[in-house]
Amino acid sequence: MLVLSLVLSAAAAWAANTSCPTDYTSYVSQPHGPFSSGRYHLSSMRPPPECRTFVSPEVEQTIARMKRTIADPDLFRLFENSWPNTLDTTIKWRGHAEGSDEELCFVITGDIDAMWLRDSANQLQSYLPVLRRNSSSNSIASLYRGVINLQSRYILENPFCQAFQPPKESGLPPVQNGASHDDTVFPPYSNQTVFECKYELDSLAAFLEVSSDYYSATKDAAFFGKYQWLDTVRAILNETRAMQIGTYSSNGSVNTSPYTFSRTTSSSEDTLDNNGIGNPFKTGTGLVRSAFRPSDDAAIYQGFIPANMMFATYLQSTSAIAAAVGQPGLAAEMQSFAAEIRQAISKYGITSISNSIFGQDNIYAYEVDGYGSRNIMDDANIPSLLSAPFFGYVDKNDPVYQATRKVLLSEDQPYYMAGPVISGIGSPHTGPGYVWPMSVIMRIFTTDDDEEITSNLKLLLSSTNGLGLLHESINAYNQSDYTRPWFAWVNGLFGQMILDLDSRKPYILKQSFQ
């Protein structure tokens, strides 16, 4: 028996109601009244309540409370549009596994009609401030359970892939990414269930992240013992242990890589060299290799430090779940693995630099290969080096992190851009000249300096081209030149940051930005 708790997709809901936008990507590319009363006249971008893909009373109550808290009308409008964007537009389908009471939730990124492990985990993290234990199928807790269960299915079926098609129970058709027919991937996959199969360590860390977030807020240990969570954790441990393998064995022969990826493409970031295995990686570092970054771009050196940081952090925190469901041996294994990766980061991921601006200092490298090669840069996508305190790897006052942060937020870092519209870190994914608001938000999260927070809030507020939603990236010299008008993750992250400021620096939200 097919047990479904059907929820209309955004497209179906909009089509069923003539007052709803028929295409949200087009809708958010144009301004709509009523406009905010501040100098930026920010558009109203929320769909009407009947058109939203999920409605949470807790979220609506928080928005109403923040209207009384945020003094600046433009800043409130940006919060009001942004924070609920995932719920308003991207909960594509909710239901149950066939023949089971197992909740499932398919969350798209926005204008890409597929579910990324990383994006969906971070999209839900935006609502961590209102997450409470709740057995109702119409709760934020239910969305978390549904995402955790669906991610478990995805990882068990295709552990090296990062983006997926709708589950069969949804009845939604798969979509194509336009390049899958050119891929040569091992292990192979079906594009009926997988949207993209670029192995990214942070995608596995994201599963642990959303699990840790749910458990820390609800202490609902029973949930993790019911379905496939323990099997998924064991699969992740097996895969990541396998991906500690180096390029060469002890006798000098080339090891067989557990994962390879080749694509016919005009972009070097979209494929791996050396017949799909990537650049050589040293055996015995203790780091877990990552073929691709969270931008979905190929790593230059597969010792990708931010993902190892994130993985170690959430291995440690989710070990408490394993212990709570009666698996002390698994918990101990997770803790030991986390400590091993931390030790490897300290040994291989910290490097010395010397230049005329910062002098000589120890900082974190973005990528390493274990042979001494290093990549000194950052990418706005999380996990990034800038975001290491945000996901709990290191205290923001740690001296190595502080030295790293100074370099990352300077023009000595190749993907830091400064312009009259916005200044911040970008990504090779969109190319030089484009700043990602995600990095500006993360700069606010990782500082206690009031002036730095205020100046970067002003940048975010003034750079939406009047549309009142944040974009993937913005030309630092032309705010009307941006990528992805509908990108739910960054908008939710903005709202999460505002709620964080409300908790730790509420007086900043009483300022005028006019």
Side-chain angles (χ1 to χ4, degrees):
M1 178 181 178
L2 186 63
V3 182
L4 297 177
S5 174
L6 291 175
V7 174
L8 286 174
S9 70
W14 295 336
N17 192 311
T18 56
S19 66
C20 298
T22 56
D23 178 357
Y24 195 69
T25 302
S26 299
Y27 183 81
V28 298
S29 301
Q30 302 294 326
H32 306 276
F35 298 96
S36 62
S37 60
R39 62 182 291 195
Y40 298 112
H41 304 292
L42 297 183
S43 175
S44 179
M45 286 299 186
R46 295 193 71 185
E50 65 272 16
C51 306
R52 297 170 191 169
T53 56
F54 188 87
V55 176
S56 163
E58 294 83 2
V59 167
E60 299 305 321
Q61 290 162 10
T62 302
I63 292 171
R65 177 178 65 82
M66 294 304 291
K67 187 173 185 178
R68 301 187 297 270
T69 299
I70 300 172
D72 188 274
D74 292 328
L75 185 61
F76 174 71
R77 173 55 57 82
L78 187 54
F79 171 80
E80 177 186 32
N81 285 340
S82 296
W83 187 50
N85 193 245
T86 284
L87 302 185
D88 284 354
T89 67
T90 70
I91 309 301
K92 187 77 172 181
W93 175 86
R94 293 187 299 129
H96 293 84
E98 185 173 359
S100 171
D101 64 351
E102 181 185 15
E103 294 167 287
L104 301 176
C105 181
F106 182 69
V107 183
I108 62 173
T109 68
D111 58 1
I112 302 177
D113 214 17
M115 180 166 160
W116 264 254
L117 300 179
R118 168 187 55 258
D119 290 52
S120 58
N122 284 288
Q123 285 168 254
L124 285 194
Q125 191 183 72
S126 303
Y127 308 109
L128 191 56
V130 295
L131 173 60
R132 303 290 183 271
R133 187 165 183 167
N134 191 328
S135 60
S136 168
S137 61
N138 291 310
S139 63
I140 295 292
S142 175
L143 298 185
Y144 269 83
R145 292 190 296 267
V147 164
I148 292 167
N149 288 334
L150 188 53
Q151 287 198 7
S152 286
R153 175 190 293 188
Y154 289 149
I155 292 169
L156 288 171
E157 291 179 353
N158 297 278
F160 287 99
C161 301
Q162 95 284 25
F164 295 87
Q165 305 283 8
K168 64 181 186 299
E169 291 93 337
S170 70
L172 298 171
V175 295
Q176 301 305 312
N177 67 12
S180 60
H181 60 281
D182 293 327
D183 295 352
T184 302
V185 182
F186 180 80
Y189 67 89
S190 167
N191 58 20
Q192 296 300 297
T193 55
V194 172
F195 180 82
E196 179 81 285
C197 198
K198 292 178 173 177
Y199 163 64
E200 300 162 357
L201 175 60
D202 72 279
S203 292
L204 301 178
F207 172 76
L208 301 179
E209 173 192 46
V210 70
S211 300
S212 178
D213 286 348
Y214 179 77
Y215 181 69
S216 67
T218 68
K219 295 298 183 285
D220 182 9
F223 162 71
F224 293 96
K226 286 184 69 176
Y227 304 110
Q228 300 182 96
W229 189 83
L230 287 168
D231 290 340
T232 307
V233 170
R234 293 187 180 100
I236 288 172
L237 293 177
N238 289 338
E239 178 184 322
T240 50
R241 282 295 188 189
M243 289 305 294
Q244 288 181 297
I245 190 173
T247 302
Y248 304 105
S249 67
S250 57
N251 66 10
S253 62
V254 177
N255 288 319
T256 299
S257 177
Y259 170 85
T260 62
F261 183 99
S262 296
R263 171 174 289 170
T264 302
T265 177
S266 60
S267 172
S268 62
E269 288 90 7
D270 219 22
T271 190
L272 299 180
D273 56 10
N274 289 321
N275 296 314
I277 64 172
N279 285 320
F281 183 77
K282 188 176 182 180
T283 297
T285 65
L287 296 169
V288 180
R289 288 165 52 196
S290 187
F292 290 88
R293 302 167 179 167
S295 60
D296 297 335
D297 295 340
I300 296 174
Y301 307 120
Q302 292 189 8
F304 178 47
I305 298 303
N308 275 270
M309 289 174 163
M310 183 180 177
F311 187 56
T313 298
Y314 288 112
L315 270 177
Q316 180 66 42
S317 64
T318 51
S319 69
I321 304 175
V325 296
Q327 298 292 323
L330 178 61
E333 182 182 355
M334 296 166 75
Q335 293 166 6
S336 175
F337 197 2
E340 178 185 335
I341 295 170
R342 279 185 169 270
Q343 185 176 10
I345 292 170
S346 295
K347 182 176 181 179
Y348 292 97
I350 297 176
T351 187
S352 179
I353 65 161
S354 179
N355 63 40
S356 58
I357 298 176
F358 301 109
Q360 185 162 345
D361 222 331
N362 290 328
I363 68 168
Y364 288 110
Y366 187 67
E367 295 168 345
V368 298
D369 64 0
Y371 292 105
S373 300
R374 61 185 191 176
N375 186 3
I376 305 299
M377 61 163 281
D378 207 13
D379 186 303
N381 283 272
I382 302 168
S384 59
L385 291 176
L386 183 63
S387 66
F390 172 74
F391 56 75
Y393 180 79
V394 67
D395 186 90
K396 60 174 171 272
N397 296 313
D398 175 84
V400 176
Y401 173 75
Q402 279 296 316
T404 306
R405 194 176 190 273
K406 288 178 183 177
V407 174
L408 299 181
L409 297 174
S410 79
E411 294 181 22
D412 270 21
Q413 197 264 106
Y415 287 97
Y416 180 85
M417 275 76 70
V421 171
I422 191 169
S423 300
I425 298 171
S427 170
H429 195 69
T430 49
Y434 288 83
V435 173
W436 287 49
M438 187 174 289
S439 73
V440 182
I441 296 168
M442 197 48 56
R443 185 169 183 174
I444 294 171
F445 264 119
T446 56
T447 186
D448 288 321
D449 184 276
D450 289 0
E451 183 178 350
E452 185 177 9
I453 292 169
T454 299
S455 62
N456 281 280
L457 277 175
K458 289 178 179 177
L459 285 181
L460 292 168
L461 196 57
S462 64
S463 61
T464 75
N465 202 33
L467 295 174
L469 280 174
L470 298 171
H471 305 123
E472 179 188 57
S473 71
I474 304 166
N475 188 319
Y477 284 80
N478 179 6
Q479 65 175 285
S480 65
D481 180 12
Y482 57 83
T483 62
R484 297 190 70 183
W486 181 20
F487 181 33
W489 177 11
V490 69
N491 285 285
L493 187 68
F494 175 85
Q496 189 178 346
M497 176 267 292
I498 292 294
L499 293 175
D500 177 65
L501 289 178
D502 184 44
S503 175
R504 66 187 176 103
K505 290 181 178 287
Y507 52 88
I508 287 180
L509 301 182
K510 299 300 184 183
Q511 296 182 88
S512 169
F513 293 88
Q514 300 303 302

